[in-house]
């Protein structure tokens, strides 16, 4: 049995250009050499990464790679940086025990790294920080440390200090051991010497060392007392305290280096082993009720002796077939075993199992609690499904994916493309749960829905390039919604008399606007049996089915409360179906009277611009009906945060680049729904009516 305390399941996440892939690549190089000798890739630091990604695309793209460092087994999950793909980061965090946050030494804490950091906080994942690219012009380690404190509100614990700045960056000082690691110019990660600390840095190192020990001993009262009496704790004790505080999220050990120049990565690997938790040290995953989704109070204890409980967290297609990546929380998974998918209720036999290694894959026969591996060729498993022992059915806490806010219509150009598109879209939907595809029944068009313009652009690009589907792409459409603004009391009777028994159902009800984000709520306060209890669900179902199409333009209705307070029934003619029809009629009758209102999706927009263009950018956001929330000046420019309606943000990147001479960048994510101004609402309603007329 493998020793779980020697496992580390970690993810590397960062902003788009912070050097995540390079860092992962370097870790694989360092650990790959240790794992297998004799296959040293020539350590030319000038390797072009994109080319490498093309040649060994599988390594960097693969969802999970296993490597070894100092007798510890690391499962590393790479996550993308772009905010339209945060669903990838979110689902990776779900199955990780710890993470490495990579920040750029000159760019610092960027918008996307903030989003990812927030996800990691919500998932309570312990992290260490690696400030990369310190060989860059304008790089400043301590400035980035300050930003981590101010922007992320986190507590970075400085563990290393850089020797030299920008071009002069040659190595790092390990504060705890008071050793200087200095690399030569060969670009090889193992060519370093341990030297004395440079004389001009001694005072700075001692100052940070004191801070480090003071922070660490807060984790242990006895050590703290003896430290205050002037006794310095042993390095072992300090490390034990740092480990405890890191796992408790009290602080984040912070390292520096340059992955590209191969400097400082070893210390980050040591820190993963020393300070990040093993699978048994994190809170076990809660189990939920498969019917209601509520927690049952039980957990999946991480141990190989428990029944099997595992989560499928990513599905990927590559040249070897469909891979389902699985994190095993408890129990053992063996080749040829039959497992139950608690979501579909079907069982499936486990065929080939593989684990990804630095640059190839190894077939395995068994895996156990704590492992992350892949199964080839599973049929009906989707992201977020639980696989378990058929005798012990259970459901792990599922993943929640955000609703898409933007859609485009696509039509294949020829018949060949139509067939190809069907197959391709099937694969793409399985791989990305935030990407939804529907068919418009009236026009027969295929509608792609996603998290943002870039998200859909990339999907269309994959369809064209990877699958060779020629498409015509329509204009992006916004997912509007509807709601009501005034409470209303009303009554509706459904009567139908034809030969034999008729239909009868009378309901008295109140409709009122719900709190934002509450969706549909139904309650019944009928007393005295005027509407018998067995018909209440039918009334609720009737109303709920009508929520799909609002009275204004047929968009989905949000945030509505309905209270059934009285009514009438007929002992013979009343039935569930009669009350359901009554509820539908009531909805049609009352909604137009309840002050219906169109809602539009508002995006949280984060714009970065050089100082001299701030006025133009803010003016432009105001013209787009944006509400400026905040602006803060950084070293290289200004960040502006605003809430802007999605409908005004199409093609924004082009405008921003023109305004800022190509130096501006932005990210946006869905924030909430808000009432549309009348002028906009009228236009949208008119367009919807024209569309419907045209379809007829």
């Amino acid at each position: 049995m493998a020793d779980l305390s020697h496992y580390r399941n970690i993810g590397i996440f960062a902003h788009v250009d912070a050097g995540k892939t390079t860092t992962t690549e370097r870790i694989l190089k360092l650990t790959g050499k240790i794992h297998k000798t004799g296959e040293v890739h020539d350590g030319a630091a000038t390797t072009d990464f994109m080319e490498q990604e093309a040649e060994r695309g599988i390594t960097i793209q693969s969802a999970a790679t296993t490597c070894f460092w100092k007798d510890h087994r690391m499962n590393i999950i790479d996550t993308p940086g772009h905010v339209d793909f945060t669903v990838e980061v979110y689902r990776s965090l779900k199955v990780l025990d710890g993470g490495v946050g990579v920040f750029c030494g000159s760019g610092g804490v960027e918008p996307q790294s903030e989003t990812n950091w927030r996800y990691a906080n919500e998932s309570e994942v312990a992290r260490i920080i690696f400030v990369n690219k310190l060989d860059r012009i304008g790089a400043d380690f301590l400035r980035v440390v300050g930003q981590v404190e101010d922007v992320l509100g986190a507590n970075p614990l400085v563990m290393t200090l850089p020797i030299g700045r920008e071009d002069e960056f040659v190595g790092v000082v390990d504060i705890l051991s008071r050793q200087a690691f200095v690399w030569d110019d060969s670009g090889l990660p193992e060519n370093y010497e341990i030297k004395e600390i440079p004389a001009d840095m001694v005072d700075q190192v001692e100052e940070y060392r004191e801070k480090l020990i003071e922070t660490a001993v807060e984790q242990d009262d006895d050590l703290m007392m003896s430290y205050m009496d002037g006794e310095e704790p042993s390095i072992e004790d300090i490390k034990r305290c740092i480990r405890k505080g890191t796992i408790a999220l009290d602080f984040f050990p912070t390292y520096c280096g340059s992955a590209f120049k191969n400097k400082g990565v070893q210390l980050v690997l040591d820190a993963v082993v020393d300070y990040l938790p093993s699978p048994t040290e994190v809170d076990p995953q809660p189990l939920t009720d498969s019917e209601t989704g509520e927690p049952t109070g039980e957990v999946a204890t991480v141990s190989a002796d428990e029944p099997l409980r595992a989560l499928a967290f990513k599905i990927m297609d590559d040249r070897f077939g469909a891979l389902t990546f699985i994190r095993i929380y408890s129990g053992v998974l063996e080749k040829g075993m039959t497992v139950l998918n608690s979501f579909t209720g079907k069982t499936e036999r486990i065929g080939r199992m593989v684990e990804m290694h630095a640059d190839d894959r190894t077939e395995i026969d068994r895996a156990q609690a704590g492992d992350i591996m892949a199964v080839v060729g599973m049929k009906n498993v989707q992201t977020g499904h639980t696989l378990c022992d058929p005798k012990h059915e259970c459901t792990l806490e599922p993943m929640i994916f955000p609703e898409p806010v933007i859609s485009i219509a696509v039509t294949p150009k020829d018949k060949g493309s139509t067939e190809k598109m069907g197959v391709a879209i099937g694969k793409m939907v399985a791989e990305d749960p935030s990407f939804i595809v529907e068919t418009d029944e009236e026009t027969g068009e295929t509608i792609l829905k996603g998290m943002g313009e870039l998200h859909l652009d990339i999907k269309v690009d994959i369809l064209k390039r990877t699958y060779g589907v020629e498409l015509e792409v329509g204009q992006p459409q916004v997912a509007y919604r509807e709601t009501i603004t005034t409470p209303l009391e009303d009554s509706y009777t459904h009567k139908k008399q034809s030969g034999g028994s008729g239909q009868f159902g009378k309901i008295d009800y109140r409709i009122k606007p719900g709190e934002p984000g509450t969706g549909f709520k139904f309650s019944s306060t009928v007393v005295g049996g005027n509407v018998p209890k067995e018909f209440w669900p039918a009334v609720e179902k009737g109303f709920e089915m009508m929520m799909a199409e609002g009275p204004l333009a047929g968009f989905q209705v949000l945030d509505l409360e309905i209270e059934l307070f009285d009514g009438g029934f007929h002992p013979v003619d009343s039935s569930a179906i009669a009350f359901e029809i009554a509820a539908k009629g009531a909805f049609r009758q009352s909604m137009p009277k309840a002050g219906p209102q169109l809602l539009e999706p508002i995006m949280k927009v984060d714009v970065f611009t050089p100082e001299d263009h701030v006025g133009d950018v803010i003016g432009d956001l105001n013209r787009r009906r944006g509400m400026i929330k905040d602006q803060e000046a950084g070293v290289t420019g200004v960040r502006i945060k605003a809430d802007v309606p999605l409908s005004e943000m199409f093609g924004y990147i082009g405008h921003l680049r023109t305004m800022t001479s190509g130096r501006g960048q932005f990210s946006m994510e869905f924030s909430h729904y808000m009432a549309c101004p009348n002028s906009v609402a009228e236009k949208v309603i008119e367009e919807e009516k024209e569309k419907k007329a045209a379809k007829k």
Side-chain angles (χ1 to χ4, degrees), residues 26-63:
R26 290 300 182 257
I27 288 176
L28 295 181
K29 258 190 179 170
L30 274 169
T31 54
K33 283 184 180 153
I34 295 158
H35 187 51
K36 290 191 196 143
T37 44
E39 278 188 36
V40 178
H41 299 283
D42 23 331
T46 51
T47 341
D48 169 356
F49 296 109
M50 287 324 288
E51 205 169 272
Q52 221 165 18
E53 226 168 357
E55 292 163 10
R56 323 212 325 249
I58 177 96
T59 314
I60 304 164
Q61 294 302 336
S62 80

Side-chain angles (χ1 to χ4, degrees), residues 93-149:
L93 283 168
K94 183 95 181 141
V95 297
L96 296 176
D97 304 323
V100 180
V102 181
F103 296 102
C104 169
S106 58
V109 175
E110 294 164 288
Q112 253 113 72
S113 29
E114 222 180 304
T115 308
N116 292 345
W117 193 264
R118 197 177 69 235
Y119 278 146
N121 283 343
E122 286 168 9
S123 307
E124 296 184 359
V125 171
R127 279 146 284 172
I128 51 181
I129 292 172
F130 177 50
V131 179
N132 188 19
K133 298 195 178 183
L134 286 183
D135 52 330
R136 279 278 190 90
I137 292 177
D140 180 342
F141 174 62
L142 294 176
R143 191 188 77 232
V144 180
V145 170
Q147 286 184 330
V148 169
E149 291 174 344

Side-chain angles (χ1 to χ4, degrees), residues 141-142 161-162 175 199-210:
F141 174 62
L142 294 176
L161 286 169
I175 296 175
D200 59 348
M201 285 182 71
V202 172
D203 294 349
Q204 189 193 21
V205 169
E206 287 312 309
E207 177 198 336
Y208 274 94
R209 195 165 190 271
E210 198 172 312

Side-chain angles (χ1 to χ4, degrees), residues 395-408:
T395 305
L396 289 160
E397 189 178 52
M399 301 183 176
I400 300 153
F401 297 110
E403 287 276 311
V405 287
I406 175 173
S407 62
I408 49 174

